[in-house]
Amino acid sequence: MNAPDLARRIEELRQQLRHHEHLYYVLDAPEISDGGYDALMNELKRLEAEHPEQITADSPTQRVGGKPAEGFQKAQHSRPMLSLDNAYSVEDLAAWDRRVRELAAGFPIEYAAELKLDGLSVALRYEPAADGVARLAKGLTRGDGQTGEDVTSNLRTIHSVPLGIAANHLQKAGALQGKAFEVRGEVVMPEAAFQRVNEEREQAGLPAFVNPRNAAAGTLRTLEPSIVASRRLVFFAYFLLVDGEYSAAGQTTTLETLATLGFRVNPHRRRVATVEEMIQFIDQAEAERDQLGYEIDGVVLKVDAQATQQRLGYTGRAPRWAIAYKFTARSGVTRVEGITVQVGRTGKLTPVAELAPVFIGGTTVSRATLHNADFILGLGLRIGDWVRIERGGDVIPKVVEVVEDAEHPRGEVAFSFPSECPECNSPVVRAAGEVDWRCVNADCPAKLRESLLHFSRREVMNVEGLGEAVVQQLLDRGLVRSVADLYALTAEQLTDLDRFAEKSAQALLAEIEGSKQAGLARVLMGLGIRFVGERTAELLAEEYGSIDALMAASAEELERVDEVGPRIAQAMREFFAQPANRALVEALRGSGVDMTAEKRQRTTQLAGLTFVLTGALPTLTRDEAKRRIEAAGGKVTGSVSKKTNYVVAGEEAGSKLDKAQSLGVPVLDETALLALLAAQLPS
Ligand code: IVH
């Protein structure tokens, strides 16, 4: 091949590869097989290997790692991140304990018992700086244990990851000044954050994460640090390497040192000496599991003394001095005795499996949601079928499959989804493109009941004591016809209800009175506007400051609010377009319900500052960086002059960087830019 032909062929291959990568990774719509792709890639690799002078930084062969998270650099771990051997029973634990004692040859053994956090492990490298502070220099995911991905800018957004550790803490933690060290631990997504992320994803039409671990992993690989920041991940530290060595006297001292350094260390830990004590700790962990607020999948036991750990050493992939006791999967098999259909406050019909009670993971499960008609079809579920039920960390039982074998024969009765609302008998409708059937009768009693229950929830208007039994009585007696009627209830009316005395009536009235001060965000949630969950309500409230401003806003204006897309904006407009809803707002206002919020201060501290962007930033796109600077009041221009305040430079920055340096204009990298932007946020 002559030189021009070669150059042409290389360019052709690159274009094709980019095209197919875009189809595959971005659009999720590949047009060629993996094999076809590989053939193109191999040809390009071969040509580049034969003519290395032709390699460019943007060639598809130069994409680091490629597969899972494009955009993150791979990096070698200072020491491999090992995994743990597993134990599934008391016998396994006893066998392990015996082996440890044998190998330790008479040394007294104590174990550090910790929770096995169900997240993903990361390694944080801290480096000493001239000012005596140790700074977070790099954060890697576990990857394959040898190499991980550099997700530093995402880890920086986690509040439990210290960015710098002051000299006095380093001193207190055992003369760590001037040393490089590495902290390892687990990043978890708390239950509450998980629920919220999935709500938001649902609102945005994205598939939900299946569990908090996947959500945490997905989040850490997000290319946009501000999204990571909003997800409220938590880092628990459990491992420390100083200058590449295990330096502490043992695991217990390591955890204490980490706490001294300012890391979050899980408080559920104990020193144990016998298998019996291990089991006590395990039982306690299982009992507390549902109240932790984050998921665990077992308990880790580690030989405490470092000297003994060294003596025991490692097998190929795991230390001999530690073991993970895995909780047994919380699942069970039971029979579907019936399928009922519930009506929600939006009129949505939800089928529910009525189960023969089954004990799973500490509680008795007798009902499980079947989500919608399609879910039932997907399972092929009939009444009388046996099903496997799983309980995740989120406590809500899930139907995972129909079980069929000799002991579990198939059910006989097919389920047909009702064509009428089970509560008011009006016909149900399913809008094009939606999975849910709805009752659209505005006066459906189920909707009112569910709206009242929703309105009084702790996360919404927080009216304690307004549970199902009370709400049902209020409805039966015709005392409330909308949520606004709650504010007109009297002590006489309440004392008339079953199991109500003067005192309980006064308590409920005080709760109702107190809810008037809940503020605009909660009122917005309480109104039950479609897609407006907690976070959206807060953002809207902060932005607009009053219900009147919100009702006057056009869909276009609403969409300018962070995280508000066309679906939410339209739902807001539709809601306030209905006279009945406007009347409800007025009735609430008339009752004295506060419908204002403190408006967020616009950030303007970057006002008057001019930025120039050059080169590729590690995580932010050019547009995103520009948008953020402008949102903080700054200006972004194309060329560097003496008037430029900052040049933000990424990889492959060219002449603009040279110019900045020759003019003495300060140069920021992405991390510094993010820090500057973060510093501008109103507190
Ligand atoms: S110690 C060499 N402690 O479990 C020791 N690991 O199955 C390495 N994990 O990759 C780990 N909680 O991601 C340790 N308290 C804990 C843990 C823990 C969760 C994870 C970790 C590790 C995996 C091994």
Side-chain angles (χ1 to χ4, degrees), residues 492-540:
E492 295 77 62
Q493 290 171 331
L494 291 181
T495 42
D496 229 30
L497 305 182
D498 290 349
R499 270 178 292 163
F500 256 88
E502 185 62 29
K503 213 166 145 203
S504 39
Q506 289 303 341
L508 182 52
L509 287 178
E511 283 286 325
I512 293 171
E513 182 64 25
S515 76
K516 291 180 182 173
Q517 304 308 320
L520 179 57
R522 282 159 175 264
V523 173
L524 279 178
M525 270 201 288
L527 290 173
I529 305 165
R530 253 188 117 182
F531 309 131
V532 178
E534 182 172 356
R535 182 162 171 83
T536 309
E538 272 166 16
L539 292 169
L540 286 167

Side-chain angles (χ1 to χ4, degrees), residues 82-84 86 114-121 142 185-186 238-239 251 297 300 302 314 319 321-322 324 326:
L82 299 174
S83 58
L84 296 171
N86 293 324
E114 299 169 16
L115 300 182
K116 187 167 186 324
L117 304 157
D118 199 8
L120 62 154
S121 47
R142 178 171 184 272
E186 204 83 354
Y238 53 66
F239 202 74
Q251 180 62 12
D297 59 348
V300 183
K302 304 173 183 177
Y314 297 81
W321 47 264
K326 293 285 215 54

Side-chain angles (χ1 to χ4, degrees), residues 361-634:
T363 50
T364 302
V365 177
S366 52
R367 315 183 78 199
T369 178
L370 295 169
H371 306 289
N372 52 53
D374 290 357
F375 185 81
I376 296 175
L377 283 177
L379 283 174
L381 183 69
R382 297 184 213 141
I383 296 165
D385 274 343
W386 294 81
V387 290
R388 178 173 310 283
I389 307 287
E390 265 178 18
R391 269 186 64 214
D394 52 359
V395 189
I396 298 163
K398 296 184 181 69
V399 178
V400 281
E401 61 177 356
V402 173
V403 178
E404 183 184 8
D405 55 33
E407 285 122 83
H408 304 106
R410 288 299 308 268
E412 303 279 306
V413 188
F415 172 73
S416 57
F417 210 81
S419 53
E420 287 178 357
C421 171
E423 305 241 9
C424 71
N425 300 326
S426 39
V428 297
V429 298
R430 165 141 94 167
E434 292 207 357
V435 291
D436 295 318
W437 288 93
R438 283 171 200 283
C439 169
V440 290
N441 169 15
D443 298 321
C444 175
K447 284 196 211 172
L448 179 53
R449 181 184 67 230
E450 297 303 319
S451 303
L452 285 163
L453 289 169
H454 169 75
F455 191 80
S456 53
R457 274 173 55 203
R458 176 142 34 92
E459 300 79 6
V460 187
M461 299 299 274
N462 191 18
V463 184
E464 213 188 303
L466 203 59
E468 270 183 58
V470 180
V471 165
Q472 195 57 55
Q473 289 189 69
L474 294 175
L475 291 173
D476 290 347
R477 289 165 197 236
L479 292 174
V480 291
R481 259 167 258 101
S482 86
V483 292
D485 290 344
L486 290 174
Y487 295 99
L489 287 172
T490 64
E492 295 77 62
Q493 290 171 331
L494 291 181
T495 42
D496 229 30
L497 305 182
D498 290 349
R499 270 178 292 163
F500 256 88
E502 185 62 29
K503 213 166 145 203
S504 39
Q506 289 303 341
L508 182 52
L509 287 178
E511 283 286 325
I512 293 171
E513 182 64 25
S515 76
K516 291 180 182 173
Q517 304 308 320
L520 179 57
R522 282 159 175 264
V523 173
L524 279 178
M525 270 201 288
L527 290 173
I529 305 165
R530 253 188 117 182
F531 309 131
V532 178
E534 182 172 356
R535 182 162 171 83
T536 309
E538 272 166 16
L539 292 169
L540 286 167
E542 279 179 356
E543 188 68 32
Y544 280 88
S546 76
I547 195 99
D548 296 303
L550 270 170
M551 290 199 290
S554 68
E556 222 170 51
E557 285 162 348
L558 291 167
E559 272 185 59
R560 269 183 237 137
V561 177
D562 247 1
E563 296 177 37
V564 172
R567 273 167 33 115
I568 299 175
Q570 204 196 332
M572 290 280 291
R573 293 304 307 152
E574 278 171 9
F575 184 88
F576 289 122
Q578 300 220 10
N581 293 334
R582 286 183 167 267
L584 175 60
V585 168
E586 290 321 315
L588 289 170
R589 194 202 306 271
S591 311
V593 175
D594 177 20
M595 286 188 275
T596 63
E598 199 146 314
K599 264 179 99 159
R600 187 160 45 136
Q601 294 296 306
R602 287 240 146 257
T603 45
T604 51
Q605 289 96 321
L606 290 191
L609 297 180
T610 304
F611 291 75
V612 173
L613 302 170
T614 176
L617 299 176
T619 68
L620 293 178
T621 64
R622 189 71 74 86
D623 280 349
E624 183 58 25
K626 180 165 186 280
R627 195 187 65 72
R628 294 238 222 143
I629 291 169
E630 287 171 352

Side-chain angles (χ1 to χ4, degrees), residues 316-357:
R317 57 178 278 277
R320 284 198 195 85
W321 47 264
I323 199 157
Y325 176 88
K326 293 285 215 54
F327 294 146
T328 40
R330 300 196 293 181
S331 82
V333 172
T334 189
R335 197 153 171 266
V336 177
E337 296 182 327
I339 295 174
T340 52
V341 176
Q342 291 181 347
V343 186
R345 74 191 146 85
T346 60
K348 174 178 154 183
L349 268 53
T350 306
V352 176
E354 304 291 342
L355 306 166

